[in-house]
Amino acid sequence: MYDETHLQIDHRIPYRVAGDDTGSERNPDDFMLLSGSAQRQKSWACEHCKNYLTTKDINVCKTCYWAYPEQFEHIATKQERRVDLTFNGNDIELYEELKKKAIKNNSSIQEELKKMIK
């Protein structure tokens, strides 16, 4: 969990796509809180997205992981799915077991998790 003093406010849909309603009151739902590293990841993904670079269709952004991670259809127009999983407290032991298993199988942690789901 992040310390809220380290979170940054970011547009859900990039300013260069949606613009800004400077003449009216801003809607808090148009923004999200992100950690600094997540904000940099989002910026990089958006700046390299074909929608951001050419079409600038707000509806494409509305279905993107980076704008609405709780309900998305694509990640920067690529057919991908993403799950962010954090281990803390007693769960760190589970992570270490998973890491050992991945090393033993000459695999990645992500691949081990996929095998477990299958």
mmCIF file of all heavy atoms in Angstrom, residues 15-63:
data_model
loop_
_atom_site.group_PDB
_atom_site.id
_atom_site.type_symbol
_atom_site.label_atom_id
_atom_site.label_comp_id
_atom_site.label_asym_id
_atom_site.label_seq_id
_atom_site.Cartn_x
_atom_site.Cartn_y
_atom_site.Cartn_z
ATOM 1 N N TYR A 15 -4.709 14.350 -21.375
ATOM 2 C CA TYR A 15 -5.113 15.711 -21.716
ATOM 3 C C TYR A 15 -5.073 15.925 -23.230
ATOM 4 O O TYR A 15 -5.959 16.559 -23.797
ATOM 5 C CB TYR A 15 -4.192 16.700 -20.995
ATOM 6 C CG TYR A 15 -4.442 18.133 -21.378
ATOM 7 C CD1 TYR A 15 -5.476 18.844 -20.783
ATOM 8 C CD2 TYR A 15 -3.655 18.773 -22.330
ATOM 9 C CE1 TYR A 15 -5.726 20.163 -21.128
ATOM 10 C CE2 TYR A 15 -3.892 20.088 -22.682
ATOM 11 C CZ TYR A 15 -4.932 20.781 -22.074
ATOM 12 O OH TYR A 15 -5.176 22.061 -22.435
ATOM 13 N N ARG A 16 -4.074 15.386 -23.888
ATOM 14 C CA ARG A 16 -3.938 15.569 -25.343
ATOM 15 C C ARG A 16 -5.035 14.858 -26.128
ATOM 16 O O ARG A 16 -5.224 15.126 -27.306
ATOM 17 C CB ARG A 16 -2.581 15.102 -25.825
ATOM 18 C CG ARG A 16 -1.489 16.061 -25.439
ATOM 19 C CD ARG A 16 -0.245 15.727 -26.178
ATOM 20 N NE ARG A 16 0.687 16.836 -26.067
ATOM 21 C CZ ARG A 16 1.872 16.832 -26.585
ATOM 22 N NH1 ARG A 16 2.276 15.781 -27.268
ATOM 23 N NH2 ARG A 16 2.666 17.860 -26.440
ATOM 24 N N VAL A 17 -5.763 13.962 -25.483
ATOM 25 C CA VAL A 17 -6.882 13.292 -26.146
ATOM 26 C C VAL A 17 -8.199 13.954 -25.750
ATOM 27 O O VAL A 17 -9.001 14.311 -26.601
ATOM 28 C CB VAL A 17 -6.923 11.781 -25.798
ATOM 29 C CG1 VAL A 17 -8.163 11.112 -26.367
ATOM 30 C CG2 VAL A 17 -5.664 11.092 -26.295
ATOM 31 N N ALA A 18 -8.426 14.142 -24.464
ATOM 32 C CA ALA A 18 -9.714 14.636 -23.977
ATOM 33 C C ALA A 18 -9.769 16.147 -23.778
ATOM 34 O O ALA A 18 -10.850 16.713 -23.674
ATOM 35 C CB ALA A 18 -10.066 13.945 -22.658
ATOM 36 N N GLY A 19 -8.621 16.792 -23.684
ATOM 37 C CA GLY A 19 -8.631 18.215 -23.382
ATOM 38 C C GLY A 19 -8.979 18.445 -21.922
ATOM 39 O O GLY A 19 -8.888 17.548 -21.097
ATOM 40 N N ASP A 20 -9.418 19.631 -21.606
ATOM 41 C CA ASP A 20 -9.753 19.981 -20.232
ATOM 42 C C ASP A 20 -10.933 20.940 -20.233
ATOM 43 O O ASP A 20 -11.009 21.824 -21.080
ATOM 44 C CB ASP A 20 -8.552 20.653 -19.562
ATOM 45 C CG ASP A 20 -8.333 20.195 -18.144
ATOM 46 O OD1 ASP A 20 -9.168 19.455 -17.610
ATOM 47 O OD2 ASP A 20 -7.314 20.585 -17.571
ATOM 48 N N ASP A 21 -11.841 20.759 -19.312
ATOM 49 C CA ASP A 21 -12.983 21.663 -19.188
ATOM 50 C C ASP A 21 -12.615 22.822 -18.271
ATOM 51 O O ASP A 21 -13.064 22.902 -17.137
ATOM 52 C CB ASP A 21 -14.196 20.921 -18.624
ATOM 53 C CG ASP A 21 -14.742 19.885 -19.582
ATOM 54 O OD1 ASP A 21 -14.560 20.073 -20.790
ATOM 55 O OD2 ASP A 21 -15.348 18.910 -19.116
ATOM 56 N N THR A 22 -11.792 23.727 -18.768
ATOM 57 C CA THR A 22 -11.338 24.839 -17.930
ATOM 58 C C THR A 22 -12.450 25.841 -17.648
ATOM 59 O O THR A 22 -12.390 26.556 -16.669
ATOM 60 C CB THR A 22 -10.142 25.571 -18.582
ATOM 61 O OG1 THR A 22 -10.519 25.971 -19.898
ATOM 62 C CG2 THR A 22 -8.928 24.669 -18.643
ATOM 63 N N GLY A 23 -13.479 25.872 -18.502
ATOM 64 C CA GLY A 23 -14.573 26.814 -18.308
ATOM 65 C C GLY A 23 -15.614 26.321 -17.327
ATOM 66 O O GLY A 23 -16.528 27.057 -16.960
ATOM 67 N N SER A 24 -15.496 25.092 -16.888
ATOM 68 C CA SER A 24 -16.483 24.544 -15.967
ATOM 69 C C SER A 24 -15.791 23.865 -14.795
ATOM 70 O O SER A 24 -14.577 23.708 -14.774
ATOM 71 C CB SER A 24 -17.383 23.544 -16.696
ATOM 72 O OG SER A 24 -16.617 22.459 -17.165
ATOM 73 N N GLU A 25 -16.594 23.461 -13.840
ATOM 74 C CA GLU A 25 -16.058 22.778 -12.667
ATOM 75 C C GLU A 25 -15.557 21.395 -13.077
ATOM 76 O O GLU A 25 -16.205 20.688 -13.841
ATOM 77 C CB GLU A 25 -17.174 22.632 -11.626
ATOM 78 C CG GLU A 25 -16.660 22.378 -10.247
ATOM 79 C CD GLU A 25 -17.776 22.504 -9.221
ATOM 80 O OE1 GLU A 25 -18.495 23.513 -9.243
ATOM 81 O OE2 GLU A 25 -17.890 21.576 -8.418
ATOM 82 N N ARG A 26 -14.404 21.014 -12.591
ATOM 83 C CA ARG A 26 -13.812 19.722 -12.956
ATOM 84 C C ARG A 26 -14.521 18.582 -12.244
ATOM 85 O O ARG A 26 -14.932 18.695 -11.103
ATOM 86 C CB ARG A 26 -12.334 19.707 -12.609
ATOM 87 C CG ARG A 26 -11.555 20.659 -13.488
ATOM 88 C CD ARG A 26 -10.097 20.511 -13.263
ATOM 89 N NE ARG A 26 -9.399 21.320 -14.244
ATOM 90 C CZ ARG A 26 -8.111 21.506 -14.244
ATOM 91 N NH1 ARG A 26 -7.365 20.941 -13.321
ATOM 92 N NH2 ARG A 26 -7.543 22.243 -15.156
ATOM 93 N N ASN A 27 -14.620 17.462 -12.937
ATOM 94 C CA ASN A 27 -15.257 16.265 -12.398
ATOM 95 C C ASN A 27 -14.169 15.368 -11.801
ATOM 96 O O ASN A 27 -13.295 14.894 -12.528
ATOM 97 C CB ASN A 27 -16.005 15.543 -13.515
ATOM 98 C CG ASN A 27 -16.726 14.316 -13.028
ATOM 99 O OD1 ASN A 27 -16.581 13.885 -11.885
ATOM 100 N ND2 ASN A 27 -17.514 13.725 -13.909
ATOM 101 N N PRO A 28 -14.228 15.089 -10.513
ATOM 102 C CA PRO A 28 -13.209 14.234 -9.886
ATOM 103 C C PRO A 28 -13.108 12.844 -10.517
ATOM 104 O O PRO A 28 -12.056 12.224 -10.483
ATOM 105 C CB PRO A 28 -13.668 14.124 -8.431
ATOM 106 C CG PRO A 28 -14.569 15.291 -8.220
ATOM 107 C CD PRO A 28 -15.191 15.595 -9.546
ATOM 108 N N ASP A 29 -14.197 12.363 -11.130
ATOM 109 C CA ASP A 29 -14.174 11.044 -11.771
ATOM 110 C C ASP A 29 -13.261 11.004 -12.999
ATOM 111 O O ASP A 29 -12.925 9.927 -13.486
ATOM 112 C CB ASP A 29 -15.583 10.619 -12.179
ATOM 113 C CG ASP A 29 -16.470 10.356 -10.975
ATOM 114 O OD1 ASP A 29 -15.936 10.083 -9.875
ATOM 115 O OD2 ASP A 29 -17.705 10.423 -11.133
ATOM 116 N N ASP A 30 -12.873 12.173 -13.504
ATOM 117 C CA ASP A 30 -11.989 12.239 -14.664
ATOM 118 C C ASP A 30 -10.516 12.097 -14.283
ATOM 119 O O ASP A 30 -9.649 12.119 -15.151
ATOM 120 C CB ASP A 30 -12.176 13.565 -15.409
ATOM 121 C CG ASP A 30 -13.542 13.672 -16.060
ATOM 122 O OD1 ASP A 30 -14.198 12.629 -16.272
ATOM 123 O OD2 ASP A 30 -13.962 14.809 -16.349
ATOM 124 N N PHE A 31 -10.242 11.936 -12.985
ATOM 125 C CA PHE A 31 -8.874 11.860 -12.487
ATOM 126 C C PHE A 31 -8.697 10.596 -11.656
ATOM 127 O O PHE A 31 -9.661 9.994 -11.193
ATOM 128 C CB PHE A 31 -8.548 13.092 -11.638
ATOM 129 C CG PHE A 31 -8.660 14.376 -12.416
ATOM 130 C CD1 PHE A 31 -9.861 15.065 -12.476
ATOM 131 C CD2 PHE A 31 -7.569 14.889 -13.096
ATOM 132 C CE1 PHE A 31 -9.978 16.240 -13.206
ATOM 133 C CE2 PHE A 31 -7.668 16.066 -13.828
ATOM 134 C CZ PHE A 31 -8.871 16.741 -13.885
ATOM 135 N N MET A 32 -7.450 10.218 -11.451
ATOM 136 C CA MET A 32 -7.131 9.060 -10.625
ATOM 137 C C MET A 32 -5.846 9.334 -9.843
ATOM 138 O O MET A 32 -5.053 10.183 -10.235
ATOM 139 C CB MET A 32 -6.978 7.812 -11.494
ATOM 140 C CG MET A 32 -5.866 7.904 -12.513
ATOM 141 S SD MET A 32 -5.879 6.667 -13.843
ATOM 142 C CE MET A 32 -6.232 5.156 -13.067
ATOM 143 N N LEU A 33 -5.687 8.641 -8.739
ATOM 144 C CA LEU A 33 -4.464 8.735 -7.952
ATOM 145 C C LEU A 33 -3.539 7.588 -8.337
ATOM 146 O O LEU A 33 -3.972 6.436 -8.416
ATOM 147 C CB LEU A 33 -4.778 8.644 -6.455
ATOM 148 C CG LEU A 33 -5.490 9.840 -5.851
ATOM 149 C CD1 LEU A 33 -5.857 9.546 -4.402
ATOM 150 C CD2 LEU A 33 -4.618 11.074 -5.923
ATOM 151 N N LEU A 34 -2.296 7.924 -8.600
ATOM 152 C CA LEU A 34 -1.299 6.918 -8.967
ATOM 153 C C LEU A 34 -0.003 7.151 -8.208
ATOM 154 O O LEU A 34 0.335 8.297 -7.886
ATOM 155 C CB LEU A 34 -0.987 7.007 -10.467
ATOM 156 C CG LEU A 34 -2.092 6.683 -11.449
ATOM 157 C CD1 LEU A 34 -1.645 7.009 -12.862
ATOM 158 C CD2 LEU A 34 -2.481 5.226 -11.346
ATOM 159 N N SER A 35 0.722 6.089 -7.977
ATOM 160 C CA SER A 35 2.074 6.242 -7.447
ATOM 161 C C SER A 35 2.924 6.863 -8.547
ATOM 162 O O SER A 35 2.551 6.835 -9.724
ATOM 163 C CB SER A 35 2.650 4.884 -7.048
ATOM 164 O OG SER A 35 2.865 4.096 -8.204
ATOM 165 N N GLY A 36 4.057 7.404 -8.196
ATOM 166 C CA GLY A 36 4.944 8.001 -9.185
ATOM 167 C C GLY A 36 5.356 7.018 -10.262
ATOM 168 O O GLY A 36 5.349 7.339 -11.452
ATOM 169 N N SER A 37 5.686 5.786 -9.868
ATOM 170 C CA SER A 37 6.113 4.801 -10.866
ATOM 171 C C SER A 37 4.953 4.390 -11.765
ATOM 172 O O SER A 37 5.136 4.230 -12.975
ATOM 173 C CB SER A 37 6.758 3.583 -10.201
ATOM 174 O OG SER A 37 5.834 2.930 -9.370
ATOM 175 N N ALA A 38 3.759 4.238 -11.214
ATOM 176 C CA ALA A 38 2.596 3.891 -12.034
ATOM 177 C C ALA A 38 2.262 5.031 -12.995
ATOM 178 O O ALA A 38 1.903 4.794 -14.151
ATOM 179 C CB ALA A 38 1.390 3.565 -11.163
ATOM 180 N N GLN A 39 2.410 6.262 -12.543
ATOM 181 C CA GLN A 39 2.135 7.414 -13.404
ATOM 182 C C GLN A 39 3.114 7.446 -14.577
ATOM 183 O O GLN A 39 2.731 7.707 -15.710
ATOM 184 C CB GLN A 39 2.194 8.712 -12.594
ATOM 185 C CG GLN A 39 1.569 9.915 -13.266
ATOM 186 C CD GLN A 39 2.462 10.578 -14.287
ATOM 187 O OE1 GLN A 39 3.683 10.526 -14.205
ATOM 188 N NE2 GLN A 39 1.857 11.202 -15.271
ATOM 189 N N ARG A 40 4.377 7.126 -14.319
ATOM 190 C CA ARG A 40 5.373 7.096 -15.394
ATOM 191 C C ARG A 40 5.074 5.962 -16.377
ATOM 192 O O ARG A 40 5.191 6.133 -17.586
ATOM 193 C CB ARG A 40 6.784 6.985 -14.824
ATOM 194 C CG ARG A 40 7.253 8.303 -14.185
ATOM 195 C CD ARG A 40 8.692 8.245 -13.713
ATOM 196 N NE ARG A 40 8.913 7.327 -12.607
ATOM 197 C CZ ARG A 40 8.642 7.572 -11.340
ATOM 198 N NH1 ARG A 40 8.132 8.736 -10.982
ATOM 199 N NH2 ARG A 40 8.897 6.689 -10.399
ATOM 200 N N GLN A 41 4.658 4.795 -15.861
ATOM 201 C CA GLN A 41 4.287 3.672 -16.731
ATOM 202 C C GLN A 41 3.096 4.056 -17.608
ATOM 203 O O GLN A 41 3.088 3.794 -18.809
ATOM 204 C CB GLN A 41 3.897 2.450 -15.910
ATOM 205 C CG GLN A 41 5.044 1.718 -15.275
ATOM 206 C CD GLN A 41 4.540 0.531 -14.480
ATOM 207 O OE1 GLN A 41 3.555 0.621 -13.752
ATOM 208 N NE2 GLN A 41 5.223 -0.592 -14.610
ATOM 209 N N LYS A 42 2.106 4.682 -16.992
ATOM 210 C CA LYS A 42 0.913 5.090 -17.738
ATOM 211 C C LYS A 42 1.286 6.110 -18.811
ATOM 212 O O LYS A 42 0.858 5.995 -19.963
ATOM 213 C CB LYS A 42 -0.134 5.677 -16.796
ATOM 214 C CG LYS A 42 -1.387 6.131 -17.515
ATOM 215 C CD LYS A 42 -2.417 6.705 -16.548
ATOM 216 C CE LYS A 42 -3.667 7.077 -17.322
ATOM 217 N NZ LYS A 42 -4.043 8.437 -17.203
ATOM 218 N N SER A 43 2.076 7.107 -18.459
ATOM 219 C CA SER A 43 2.482 8.129 -19.425
ATOM 220 C C SER A 43 3.213 7.506 -20.608
ATOM 221 O O SER A 43 2.921 7.820 -21.764
ATOM 222 C CB SER A 43 3.387 9.176 -18.775
ATOM 223 O OG SER A 43 2.652 9.955 -17.876
ATOM 224 N N TRP A 44 4.158 6.599 -20.324
ATOM 225 C CA TRP A 44 4.922 5.960 -21.398
ATOM 226 C C TRP A 44 3.985 5.167 -22.306
ATOM 227 O O TRP A 44 4.062 5.263 -23.534
ATOM 228 C CB TRP A 44 6.008 5.054 -20.821
ATOM 229 C CG TRP A 44 6.952 4.570 -21.872
ATOM 230 C CD1 TRP A 44 8.141 5.146 -22.224
ATOM 231 C CD2 TRP A 44 6.795 3.434 -22.735
ATOM 232 N NE1 TRP A 44 8.725 4.436 -23.247
ATOM 233 C CE2 TRP A 44 7.919 3.384 -23.582
ATOM 234 C CE3 TRP A 44 5.815 2.462 -22.870
ATOM 235 C CZ2 TRP A 44 8.090 2.400 -24.543
ATOM 236 C CZ3 TRP A 44 5.981 1.476 -23.840
ATOM 237 C CH2 TRP A 44 7.109 1.454 -24.655
ATOM 238 N N ALA A 45 3.085 4.369 -21.698
ATOM 239 C CA ALA A 45 2.155 3.558 -22.489
ATOM 240 C C ALA A 45 1.255 4.437 -23.355
ATOM 241 O O ALA A 45 1.070 4.170 -24.543
ATOM 242 C CB ALA A 45 1.317 2.672 -21.566
ATOM 243 N N CYS A 46 0.722 5.499 -22.773
ATOM 244 C CA CYS A 46 -0.167 6.394 -23.524
ATOM 245 C C CYS A 46 0.581 7.090 -24.663
ATOM 246 O O CYS A 46 0.081 7.179 -25.784
ATOM 247 C CB CYS A 46 -0.801 7.428 -22.601
ATOM 248 S SG CYS A 46 -1.997 6.735 -21.434
ATOM 249 N N GLU A 47 1.773 7.569 -24.381
ATOM 250 C CA GLU A 47 2.545 8.304 -25.391
ATOM 251 C C GLU A 47 2.989 7.423 -26.559
ATOM 252 O O GLU A 47 3.345 7.925 -27.617
ATOM 253 C CB GLU A 47 3.758 8.970 -24.746
ATOM 254 C CG GLU A 47 3.359 10.132 -23.850
ATOM 255 C CD GLU A 47 4.470 10.621 -22.942
ATOM 256 O OE1 GLU A 47 5.608 10.122 -23.054
ATOM 257 O OE2 GLU A 47 4.190 11.497 -22.115
ATOM 258 N N HIS A 48 2.933 6.094 -26.382
ATOM 259 C CA HIS A 48 3.308 5.167 -27.447
ATOM 260 C C HIS A 48 2.093 4.428 -28.017
ATOM 261 O O HIS A 48 2.246 3.546 -28.847
ATOM 262 C CB HIS A 48 4.357 4.176 -26.935
ATOM 263 C CG HIS A 48 5.664 4.829 -26.658
ATOM 264 N ND1 HIS A 48 5.927 5.466 -25.473
ATOM 265 C CD2 HIS A 48 6.754 4.988 -27.425
ATOM 266 C CE1 HIS A 48 7.149 5.973 -25.524
ATOM 267 N NE2 HIS A 48 7.664 5.708 -26.691
ATOM 268 N N CYS A 49 0.913 4.817 -27.589
ATOM 269 C CA CYS A 49 -0.326 4.187 -28.042
ATOM 270 C C CYS A 49 -0.748 4.770 -29.390
ATOM 271 O O CYS A 49 -0.711 5.988 -29.590
ATOM 272 C CB CYS A 49 -1.420 4.432 -26.997
ATOM 273 S SG CYS A 49 -3.057 3.879 -27.509
ATOM 274 N N LYS A 50 -1.191 3.895 -30.312
ATOM 275 C CA LYS A 50 -1.584 4.388 -31.635
ATOM 276 C C LYS A 50 -2.791 5.314 -31.561
ATOM 277 O O LYS A 50 -2.912 6.230 -32.364
ATOM 278 C CB LYS A 50 -1.813 3.239 -32.609
ATOM 279 C CG LYS A 50 -2.987 2.357 -32.309
ATOM 280 C CD LYS A 50 -3.103 1.240 -33.332
ATOM 281 C CE LYS A 50 -4.272 0.345 -32.989
ATOM 282 N NZ LYS A 50 -4.423 -0.741 -33.931
ATOM 283 N N ASN A 51 -3.679 5.104 -30.587
ATOM 284 C CA ASN A 51 -4.822 6.012 -30.444
ATOM 285 C C ASN A 51 -4.347 7.412 -30.034
ATOM 286 O O ASN A 51 -4.802 8.408 -30.582
ATOM 287 C CB ASN A 51 -5.827 5.477 -29.420
ATOM 288 C CG ASN A 51 -7.037 6.376 -29.288
ATOM 289 O OD1 ASN A 51 -7.737 6.636 -30.264
ATOM 290 N ND2 ASN A 51 -7.270 6.875 -28.095
ATOM 291 N N TYR A 52 -3.429 7.474 -29.103
ATOM 292 C CA TYR A 52 -2.874 8.756 -28.637
ATOM 293 C C TYR A 52 -2.136 9.465 -29.778
ATOM 294 O O TYR A 52 -2.228 10.677 -29.929
ATOM 295 C CB TYR A 52 -1.931 8.487 -27.471
ATOM 296 C CG TYR A 52 -1.242 9.699 -26.883
ATOM 297 C CD1 TYR A 52 -1.806 10.384 -25.819
ATOM 298 C CD2 TYR A 52 -0.013 10.118 -27.364
ATOM 299 C CE1 TYR A 52 -1.165 11.476 -25.261
ATOM 300 C CE2 TYR A 52 0.631 11.213 -26.816
ATOM 301 C CZ TYR A 52 0.048 11.885 -25.755
ATOM 302 O OH TYR A 52 0.688 12.970 -25.205
ATOM 303 N N LEU A 53 -1.422 8.697 -30.580
ATOM 304 C CA LEU A 53 -0.593 9.269 -31.639
ATOM 305 C C LEU A 53 -1.381 9.697 -32.877
ATOM 306 O O LEU A 53 -0.977 10.631 -33.562
ATOM 307 C CB LEU A 53 0.489 8.264 -32.057
ATOM 308 C CG LEU A 53 1.524 7.931 -30.987
ATOM 309 C CD1 LEU A 53 2.392 6.764 -31.432
ATOM 310 C CD2 LEU A 53 2.374 9.153 -30.655
ATOM 311 N N THR A 54 -2.502 9.026 -33.153
ATOM 312 C CA THR A 54 -3.207 9.328 -34.403
ATOM 313 C C THR A 54 -4.676 9.689 -34.201
ATOM 314 O O THR A 54 -5.076 10.812 -34.440
ATOM 315 C CB THR A 54 -3.107 8.145 -35.392
ATOM 316 O OG1 THR A 54 -3.657 6.977 -34.795
ATOM 317 C CG2 THR A 54 -1.667 7.884 -35.797
ATOM 318 N N THR A 55 -5.484 8.746 -33.783
ATOM 319 C CA THR A 55 -6.938 8.896 -33.767
ATOM 320 C C THR A 55 -7.465 9.851 -32.692
ATOM 321 O O THR A 55 -8.354 10.646 -32.946
ATOM 322 C CB THR A 55 -7.608 7.517 -33.578
ATOM 323 O OG1 THR A 55 -6.982 6.580 -34.432
ATOM 324 C CG2 THR A 55 -9.083 7.587 -33.871
ATOM 325 N N LYS A 56 -6.906 9.715 -31.482
ATOM 326 C CA LYS A 56 -7.339 10.505 -30.312
ATOM 327 C C LYS A 56 -8.840 10.337 -30.030
ATOM 328 O O LYS A 56 -9.573 11.295 -29.806
ATOM 329 C CB LYS A 56 -6.969 11.977 -30.466
ATOM 330 C CG LYS A 56 -5.465 12.200 -30.531
ATOM 331 C CD LYS A 56 -5.120 13.646 -30.470
ATOM 332 C CE LYS A 56 -3.665 13.983 -30.564
ATOM 333 N NZ LYS A 56 -2.651 13.004 -30.484
ATOM 334 N N ASP A 57 -9.290 9.078 -30.038
ATOM 335 C CA ASP A 57 -10.683 8.737 -29.772
ATOM 336 C C ASP A 57 -10.870 8.522 -28.271
ATOM 337 O O ASP A 57 -10.319 7.576 -27.693
ATOM 338 C CB ASP A 57 -11.058 7.473 -30.555
ATOM 339 C CG ASP A 57 -12.504 7.057 -30.396
ATOM 340 O OD1 ASP A 57 -13.202 7.552 -29.479
ATOM 341 O OD2 ASP A 57 -12.945 6.211 -31.194
ATOM 342 N N ILE A 58 -11.647 9.370 -27.641
ATOM 343 C CA ILE A 58 -11.887 9.293 -26.196
ATOM 344 C C ILE A 58 -12.479 7.937 -25.819
ATOM 345 O O ILE A 58 -12.138 7.374 -24.776
ATOM 346 C CB ILE A 58 -12.808 10.437 -25.728
ATOM 347 C CG1 ILE A 58 -12.077 11.774 -25.852
ATOM 348 C CG2 ILE A 58 -13.284 10.228 -24.303
ATOM 349 C CD1 ILE A 58 -12.952 12.984 -25.606
ATOM 350 N N ASN A 59 -13.337 7.386 -26.659
ATOM 351 C CA ASN A 59 -13.976 6.105 -26.352
ATOM 352 C C ASN A 59 -12.972 4.956 -26.304
ATOM 353 O O ASN A 59 -13.164 4.005 -25.551
ATOM 354 C CB ASN A 59 -15.095 5.814 -27.348
ATOM 355 C CG ASN A 59 -16.247 6.778 -27.156
ATOM 356 O OD1 ASN A 59 -16.663 7.035 -26.032
ATOM 357 N ND2 ASN A 59 -16.744 7.324 -28.247
ATOM 358 N N VAL A 60 -11.916 5.025 -27.083
ATOM 359 C CA VAL A 60 -10.860 4.009 -27.006
ATOM 360 C C VAL A 60 -10.182 4.106 -25.638
ATOM 361 O O VAL A 60 -9.944 3.096 -24.971
ATOM 362 C CB VAL A 60 -9.841 4.166 -28.159
ATOM 363 C CG1 VAL A 60 -8.632 3.266 -27.948
ATOM 364 C CG2 VAL A 60 -10.508 3.875 -29.493
ATOM 365 N N CYS A 61 -9.905 5.317 -25.195
ATOM 366 C CA CYS A 61 -9.281 5.520 -23.884
ATOM 367 C C CYS A 61 -10.188 5.040 -22.752
ATOM 368 O O CYS A 61 -9.716 4.502 -21.755
ATOM 369 C CB CYS A 61 -8.928 6.986 -23.677
ATOM 370 S SG CYS A 61 -7.605 7.582 -24.744
ATOM 371 N N LYS A 62 -11.487 5.210 -22.909
ATOM 372 C CA LYS A 62 -12.433 4.809 -21.857
ATOM 373 C C LYS A 62 -12.460 3.305 -21.633
ATOM 374 O O LYS A 62 -12.950 2.849 -20.607
ATOM 375 C CB LYS A 62 -13.839 5.313 -22.185
ATOM 376 C CG LYS A 62 -13.994 6.796 -21.971
ATOM 377 C CD LYS A 62 -15.416 7.242 -22.262
ATOM 378 C CE LYS A 62 -15.579 8.732 -21.995
ATOM 379 N NZ LYS A 62 -16.947 9.185 -22.282
ATOM 380 N N THR A 63 -11.938 2.533 -22.592
ATOM 381 C CA THR A 63 -11.909 1.076 -22.433
ATOM 382 C C THR A 63 -10.492 0.557 -22.182
ATOM 383 O O THR A 63 -10.253 -0.643 -22.253
ATOM 384 C CB THR A 63 -12.509 0.392 -23.680
ATOM 385 O OG1 THR A 63 -11.753 0.766 -24.838
ATOM 386 C CG2 THR A 63 -13.973 0.757 -23.866
#
